[in-house]
């Protein structure tokens, strides 16, 4: 069998057929047998070993959930049997260090680890972080072969190693909600940008520098990208000095391409934060330096500081490309619109004046604010900007409340991937804004009932054009002058400033804002547009289900 297969694994249940593949002697016929209790044969399949790679592939007939089964591959006198196989739903979890954080590192870790033995039908697998200049056929190394979760050996194993807390908490919650076995596959590497996880097709579609290695030459154009990516950047960034795991396509080549034959039910993605060890970024506290080596972080920049404004192309392109590749690699068994969930960026620096985090959060939705949307169908998002953790021993970029992240992902997975009706899985979002000119107010209507947790936070901002002094009468200082902070723009020629718009009232579905000096000239409105927009679970607006209103522009 290929390296991915092993005892205790979960294979994808019906209506899909699980794809199984491996290596053999060229031209030989491999017989695959699935057997149940007492050796009862459930099905037999044959596959021929083909060149030049010397591999065989077959798709099992769709199987209902459950087990245990044995899976045997025979070629001549050779026989290999995998034991304790279950059929359920297989989810791939990928990204950078917040995905790599282990259960040992999260809030209430001892309770979470103590609960692990209650979930023997949630099986876990982790690939070793690896990179390659060429597309690999099989994984080079495995950190954690398919395993039953245990507190010490895997879920509680070290920092930023295996197994992913977000992946585990999501899988455990899916098992509780669905009752069927769950297989979790972790492929993550801290401090890595989206370009490293992208095939050459994605880089081409978004006008980014391509892999300088030998791999991926002559790969086809990204399918359907002309319809998907109508916001292709109007420029190409100058080449960046990227090395190691930050190099374009090297993680796609070594960690994603070898898995394409898998039949999947969904993907969870947690990526976009900057690593600490990059130019111009503050260094982590000594406690964090001791916990994470330079080999984990590298010296490049992830996408809060690298190609930030191309993320509105690279992220939808990666989703579309991974879906196409897994669908093709599994001979159509993985659905073409594979459900894809992701975590919107949390927080980093409390008093940062840089808006790269806010821009990247916006670009994570393809500049449309909510998902699923026309450019990102069958996706779901966990908002995390209200989960800041200033005192995290792993640095504020690594908040410890991964339970809230997993819960918000779970709601999206149930609604989008499993079609659970009448399930609220995202926070309130504005549907319209109406200006009351005479009163200088802006009434913003939201899609859901609002719960206001923080009335005084200056989360709303407005922008307008510079007006003549005459139209600002009554809005200036007591002596008749006008402070620079009270005008909408710094000068006629320069871009407009953003000014706080205080909340006057919050109704069941509306927010009324005072516009200060902008009055009739309002051209823009934004919410929570900051690196650290609010305190822990205390953003201004939530819905009754406790989900925060996402940022918007």
């Amino acid at each position: 069998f290929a390296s991915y297969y092993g005892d205790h694994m979960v294979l994808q249940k019906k209506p899909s057929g699980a794809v199984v593949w491996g290596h053999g002697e060229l031209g030989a016929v491999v017989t695959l047998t699935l057997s149940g209790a007492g050796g009862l044969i459930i099905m037999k399949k044959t596959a021929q070993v083909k060149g030049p790679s010397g591999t065989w592939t077959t798709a099992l007939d769709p199987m209902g959930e459950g087990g245990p089964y044995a899976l045997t591959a025979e070629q001549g006198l050779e026989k290999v049997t995998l034991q304790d196989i279950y059929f359920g739903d297989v989810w791939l979890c990928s990204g950078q260090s917040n995905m790599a954080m282990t259960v040992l590192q999260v809030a209430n870790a001892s309770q979470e680890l103590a609960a692990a033995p209650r979930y023997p039908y949630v099986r876990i697998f982790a690939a070793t972080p690896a990179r390659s200049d060429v597309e690999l056929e099989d994984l080079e190394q495995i950190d954690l072969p398919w395993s039953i979760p245990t507190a010490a050996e895997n879920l509680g194993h070290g920092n930023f190693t295996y197994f992913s807390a977000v992946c585990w908490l999501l899988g455990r919650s899916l098992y509780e909600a669905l009752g069927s076995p769950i297989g979790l596959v972790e492929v993550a590497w801290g401090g890595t940008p989206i370009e490293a996880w992208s095939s050459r097709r994605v880089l081409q579609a978004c006008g980014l520098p391509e892999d300088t290695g030998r791999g991926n030459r002559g790969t086809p154009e990204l399918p359907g990208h002309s319809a998907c990516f109508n916001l292709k950047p109007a420029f190409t960034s100058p080449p960046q000095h990227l090395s190691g795991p930050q190099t374009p396509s090297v993680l796609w080549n070594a960690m994603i391409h070898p898995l394409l034959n898998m039949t999947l039910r969904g993907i969870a993605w947690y990526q976009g934060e900057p690593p600490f060890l990059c130019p111009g970024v503050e260094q982590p506290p000594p406690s964090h330096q001791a916990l994470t080596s330079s080999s984990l972080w590298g010296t490049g920049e992830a996408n809060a500081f690298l190609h930030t404004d191309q993320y509105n192309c690279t992220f939808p392109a990666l989703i579309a490309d991974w879906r196409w590749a897994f669908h093709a690699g599994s001979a159509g068994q993985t659905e073409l619109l594979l459900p894809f969930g992701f975590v919107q960026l949390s927080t980093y620096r409390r008093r940062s004046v840089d808006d790269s985090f806010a821009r990247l959060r916006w670009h994570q939705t393809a500049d449309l604010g909510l998902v699923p949307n026309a450019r990102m169908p069958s996706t779901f998002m966990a908002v995390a900007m209200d989960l800041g953790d200033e005192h995290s021993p792993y640095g504020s970029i690594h908040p410890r409340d991964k339970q809230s992240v997993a819960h918000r992902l779970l709601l999206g997975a149930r609604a989008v991937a499993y079609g659970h009706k009448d399930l609220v899985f995202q926070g309130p979002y504005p549907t319209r804004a109406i200006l009351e000119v005479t009163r200088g107010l802006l009434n913003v209507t939201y899609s859901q009932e609002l719960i206001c947790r923080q009335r005084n936070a200056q989360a709303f901002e407005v922008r307008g054009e510079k007006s003549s002094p005459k139209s600002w009468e009554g809005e200036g200082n007591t002596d008749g002058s006008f402070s620079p902070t009270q005008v909408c723009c710094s000068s006629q020629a320069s871009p407009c400033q953003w000014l706080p718009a205080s909340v006057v009232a919050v109704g069941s579905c509306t927010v009324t804002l005072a516009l200060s000096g902008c009055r009739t000239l309002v051209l823009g409105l934004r919410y929570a547009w900051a690196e650290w927009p609010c305190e822990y679970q205390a953003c201004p607006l939530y819905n009754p289900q406790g989900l925060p209103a996402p940022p918007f522009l």
Side-chain angles (χ1 to χ4, degrees), residues 99-114 116 150-166 168-169 186 291 392-394 398-403:
M99 181 61 84
M101 278 182 78
T102 64
V103 179
L104 184 69
Q105 296 176 271
V106 303
N108 301 317
S110 57
Q111 295 97 307
E112 297 292 359
L113 292 172
T150 59
E153 289 84 359
N154 42 55
L155 293 181
H157 182 273
N159 297 313
F160 301 102
T161 51
Y162 58 82
F163 185 76
S164 164
V166 167
W168 164 252
L169 294 168
E186 178 193 341
L291 291 168
S392 170
Y394 315 107
H398 299 117
R400 288 166 289 180
D401 181 3
K402 294 297 192 276
Q403 290 87 346

Side-chain angles (χ1 to χ4, degrees), residues 164-224:
S164 164
V166 167
C167 194
W168 164 252
L169 294 168
L170 172 62
R172 186 191 72 182
S173 301
L174 283 170
Y175 174 76
E176 291 174 337
L178 304 170
S180 67
I182 300 290
L184 301 172
V185 178
E186 178 193 341
V187 282
W189 193 329
T192 51
I194 195 170
E195 291 81 3
W197 296 99
S198 301
S199 74
R200 184 167 174 256
R201 294 180 295 267
V202 173
L203 302 176
Q204 285 179 333
C206 296
L208 288 171
E210 295 172 22
D211 186 356
T212 56
R214 295 176 292 112
N216 298 336
R217 297 302 173 221
T219 50
E221 188 177 78
L222 180 58

Side-chain angles (χ1 to χ4, degrees), residues 6-251:
D7 296 342
H8 314 299
M9 77 179 303
V10 173
L11 293 172
Q12 182 58 44
K13 67 175 184 178
K14 65 180 183 182
S16 299
V19 173
V20 182
W21 72 282
H23 309 275
E25 187 178 334
L26 200 61
V29 174
V30 174
T31 301
L32 206 67
T33 306
L34 183 72
S35 53
L40 177 68
I41 294 177
I42 308 297
M43 76 175 78
K44 274 184 179 285
K45 295 281 183 178
T46 58
Q48 188 170 24
V49 181
K50 298 179 179 179
S53 58
T55 59
W56 56 269
T57 305
T58 189
L60 301 181
D61 298 335
M63 291 285 295
E65 65 187 55
Y69 296 96
L71 188 63
T72 300
E74 294 179 80
Q75 177 198 294
L77 298 176
E78 280 191 89
K79 179 190 288 190
V80 180
T81 300
L82 307 179
Q83 304 284 355
D84 192 36
I85 307 296
Y86 279 78
F87 286 86
D89 280 341
V90 182
W91 283 76
L92 178 73
C93 301
S94 186
Q96 57 184 106
S97 54
N98 268 301
M99 181 61 84
M101 278 182 78
T102 64
V103 179
L104 184 69
Q105 296 176 271
V106 303
N108 301 317
S110 57
Q111 295 97 307
E112 297 292 359
L113 292 172
R118 299 206 302 263
Y119 302 94
Y121 303 113
V122 181
R123 305 292 174 83
I124 55 180
F125 173 95
T128 302
R131 63 182 188 265
S132 172
D133 288 336
V134 296
E135 292 178 338
L136 301 183
E137 191 168 51
D138 203 352
L139 294 172
E140 288 191 324
Q141 198 173 343
I142 293 167
D143 268 348
L144 180 67
W146 281 104
S147 303
I148 299 171
T150 59
E153 289 84 359
N154 42 55
L155 293 181
H157 182 273
N159 297 313
F160 301 102
T161 51
Y162 58 82
F163 185 76
S164 164
V166 167
C167 194
W168 164 252
L169 294 168
L170 172 62
R172 186 191 72 182
S173 301
L174 283 170
Y175 174 76
E176 291 174 337
L178 304 170
S180 67
I182 300 290
L184 301 172
V185 178
E186 178 193 341
V187 282
W189 193 329
T192 51
I194 195 170
E195 291 81 3
W197 296 99
S198 301
S199 74
R200 184 167 174 256
R201 294 180 295 267
V202 173
L203 302 176
Q204 285 179 333
C206 296
L208 288 171
E210 295 172 22
D211 186 356
T212 56
R214 295 176 292 112
N216 298 336
R217 297 302 173 221
T219 50
E221 188 177 78
L222 180 58
H225 80 266
S226 58
C228 262
F229 312 121
N230 52 18
L231 291 179
K232 183 175 177 179
F235 63 95
T236 298
S237 293
Q240 305 273 341
H241 177 66
L242 298 173
S243 61
Q246 286 81 28
T247 307
S249 298
V250 294
L251 304 186

Side-chain angles (χ1 to χ4, degrees), residues 461-465 488-489 495-499 518 521-526 553:
E461 296 171 287
V462 292
R463 184 171 73 171
E465 290 180 337
C488 287
C489 300
C496 298
Q497 294 180 8
W498 287 95
L499 294 178
C518 286
L521 301 169
V522 173
L523 298 179
L525 172 67
R526 69 187 189 184
L553 172 65

Side-chain angles (χ1 to χ4, degrees), residues 242-537:
L242 298 173
S243 61
Q246 286 81 28
T247 307
S249 298
V250 294
L251 304 186
W252 158 267
N253 290 341
M255 299 178 74
I256 301 300
H257 192 269
L259 302 178
L260 294 182
N261 289 351
M262 289 174 56
T263 309
L264 290 180
R265 186 65 183 86
I267 294 175
W269 173 261
Y270 199 156
Q271 189 275 332
E273 322 91 318
F276 286 104
L277 302 182
C278 60
V281 179
E282 68 183 73
Q283 296 298 301
S287 60
H288 186 74
Q289 292 178 16
L291 291 168
T292 57
S293 68
S294 59
S295 63
L296 172 71
W297 286 103
T299 57
E301 299 172 53
N303 296 99
F305 298 124
L306 172 71
H307 299 149
T308 305
D309 289 321
Q310 282 139 311
Y311 207 88
N312 64 5
C313 181
T314 51
F315 190 35
L318 176 137
I319 294 172
D321 186 57
W322 283 23
R323 284 171 168 168
W324 171 80
F326 276 101
H327 179 73
S330 65
Q333 298 298 325
T334 295
E335 63 179 293
L336 192 52
L337 274 182
L338 180 66
F340 195 109
F342 63 95
V343 184
Q344 199 176 45
L345 289 197
S346 181
T347 53
Y348 175 27
R349 300 165 299 187
R350 183 183 290 275
R351 283 171 287 276
S352 171
V353 295
D354 188 280
D355 76 338
S356 58
F357 262 59
R359 297 202 321 274
L360 192 70
R361 289 186 190 116
W362 184 241
H363 296 330
Q364 284 180 292
T365 67
D367 298 355
L368 293 169
L370 277 186
V371 299
N373 59 48
R375 293 189 64 218
M376 300 172 66
S378 198
T379 60
F380 53 96
M381 173 175 72
V383 175
M385 66 180 180
D386 65 333
L387 302 178
D389 187 354
E390 195 170 26
H391 303 293
S392 170
Y394 315 107
S396 58
I397 197 75
H398 299 117
R400 288 166 289 180
D401 181 3
K402 294 297 192 276
Q403 290 87 346
S404 292
V405 169
H407 173 68
R408 293 170 185 179
L409 281 174
L410 170 70
L411 295 175
R414 289 178 58 193
V416 174
Y418 293 98
H420 292 184
K421 304 299 182 186
D422 303 320
L423 183 69
V424 177
F425 66 99
Q426 52 195 357
Y429 200 74
T431 57
R432 63 178 179 172
I434 297 177
L435 188 68
E436 285 190 56
V437 178
T438 55
R439 299 174 63 195
L441 301 176
L442 187 65
N443 293 306
V444 183
T445 301
Y446 274 80
S447 59
Q448 300 173 29
E449 184 181 346
L450 298 174
I451 302 294
C452 183
R453 292 189 185 177
Q454 183 57 262
R455 178 76 173 266
N456 299 323
Q458 292 186 330
F460 287 95
E461 296 171 287
V462 292
R463 184 171 73 171
E465 290 180 337
K466 183 179 175 68
S467 58
S468 65
K470 190 171 185 180
S471 66
W472 289 77
E473 287 179 5
E475 298 294 340
N477 301 327
T478 52
D479 62 357
S481 64
F482 289 86
S483 302
T485 57
Q486 288 180 303
V487 297
C488 287
C489 300
S490 55
S491 71
Q492 196 74 38
S494 68
C496 298
Q497 294 180 8
W498 287 95
L499 294 178
S502 57
V503 176
V504 175
V506 178
S508 62
C509 293
T510 60
V511 176
T512 301
L513 305 173
L515 296 180
S516 182
C518 286
R519 294 281 173 135
T520 61
L521 301 169
V522 173
L523 298 179
L525 172 67
R526 69 187 189 184
Y527 170 75
W529 201 266
E531 196 165 300
W532 195 299
C534 50
E535 296 309 304
Y536 178 73
Q537 293 199 357

